[in-house]
Amino acid sequence: MRIDDYRDSDNVEDRRGGGGGGGGFGGGSVGIGGVILALVVSYFTGINPLTLLGFIEQTPLAQHSAPAAHKPPADDASARFVYKVLASTEDVWHAAFQANGRRYEAPKLVLFTHSTPTACGTGKAAMGPFYCPGDRKVYIDLAFYRELKTRFHAPGEFAQAYVIAHEIGHHVQNLLGVAQQVHEAQRKVSRAEANALSVRMELQADCLAGVWGRRADDMRGILESGDLEAALNAAAAIGDDRLQQQSQGQIVPESFTHGSSAQRVRWFKRGFESGDMNQCNTFKANPL
């Protein structure tokens, strides 16, 4: 990716080394933040997110100030990459929202190590990157990028950028009211139907990540040869069918929460090829 000369975002909180562990928590019930967190955990465990909600309901919400944030050293290449990718998402979504008569409110992105307090409970590195609607922040432990390369066999900078763009896609859904609508609908249907809604929400975030990729390249020419393939490889690597086959040796489509590898690739490509967020309505698509 050609992103070295991009500006740094002002919306990064670097809590690494800042004592981001939990303490000082008060009670609270699970909301849409808990649902999103459960979906993220399901990426890596294969456990149905609705089952995980039983655990998250027992995890109290953070009720104290976050640890002090600080800028990373100038030679911290991984962190600087995140700063620049986030800035690119800000530029893209400000323009896209404006074109649709809306105002984009940029989220914060939190870099942490091991664990950190969030409005959705204690965020842990094992959960992978996630978005918390309760505080409108994306959380990522940069060690995940090693997992992306070694465990998921999805190397490359654009693969890493796709991860961020997907979580920003969840922020876009939150701003548009999609996340809340899905949460409310899931409470009224069966587990299989709730899973199907989760799949549509995740595929929409993939499509929105593709929209970002297209628009960012149109704005600044950030993509190089092989970058698109790296992102598509990452999307395929975290498809439910592939993860289930790897973790449990069998595929159970009714338990999918993020979509198959083919679906994730298809919707990312749809967003990338169109560059139009209005093409990402997975909730009206049939088939996916």
Side-chain angles (χ1 to χ4, degrees), residues 32-255:
I32 183 62
V35 173
I36 298 298
L37 201 55
L39 293 175
V40 174
V41 176
S42 73
Y43 254 18
F44 308 102
T45 63
I47 300 173
N48 189 290
L50 296 182
T51 301
L52 289 166
L53 286 177
F55 168 77
I56 293 175
E57 285 176 341
Q58 300 172 30
T59 303
L61 304 180
Q63 302 215 339
H64 60 76
S65 299
H70 57 276
K71 290 276 188 177
D75 61 353
D76 189 341
S78 295
R80 289 298 177 188
F81 176 78
V82 171
Y83 274 67
K84 294 177 185 300
V85 171
L86 184 62
S88 175
T89 67
E90 292 164 358
D91 292 347
V92 164
W93 289 116
H94 276 300
F97 269 55
Q98 186 175 34
N100 284 273
R102 296 176 176 268
R103 185 172 69 88
Y104 181 67
E105 301 173 21
K108 296 286 186 180
L109 185 149
V110 178
L111 298 175
F112 71 98
T113 303
H114 304 312
S115 66
T116 194
T118 84
C120 299
T122 300
K124 296 182 181 296
M127 298 172 178
F130 64 93
Y131 173 69
C132 175
D135 53 24
R136 294 189 174 185
K137 294 181 180 182
V138 172
Y139 292 84
I140 182 170
D141 183 326
L142 292 179
F144 173 76
Y145 285 147
R146 290 196 297 272
E147 286 278 295
L148 191 65
K149 180 179 180 180
T150 59
R151 178 181 176 185
F152 298 111
H153 307 292
E157 287 187 334
F158 199 46
Q160 297 177 7
Y162 155 72
V163 171
I164 296 173
H166 175 91
E167 299 307 331
I168 296 299
H170 285 311
H171 176 65
V172 171
Q173 291 173 316
N174 192 32
L175 294 179
L176 297 177
V178 174
Q180 184 62 35
Q181 291 173 16
V182 169
H183 173 53
E184 291 175 354
Q186 285 176 316
R187 296 174 60 184
K188 303 173 183 177
V189 297
S190 68
R191 177 175 296 181
E193 291 171 316
N195 287 347
L197 287 170
S198 295
V199 167
R200 291 181 182 274
M201 185 161 67
E202 294 296 331
L203 293 178
Q204 185 178 64
D206 281 333
C207 183
L208 294 172
V211 170
W212 161 77
R214 165 58 67 194
R215 286 176 167 256
D217 191 49
D218 288 345
M219 285 180 174
R220 297 287 294 270
I222 66 171
L223 298 186
E224 299 178 294
S225 176
D227 281 343
L228 177 58
E229 290 74 15
L232 294 176
N233 183 41
I238 54 178
D240 283 327
D241 52 345
R242 187 173 300 185
L243 292 178
Q244 287 187 355
Q245 184 64 48
Q246 291 172 350
S247 64
Q248 59 195 37
Q250 61 179 341
I251 299 172
V252 186
E254 60 267 26
S255 69

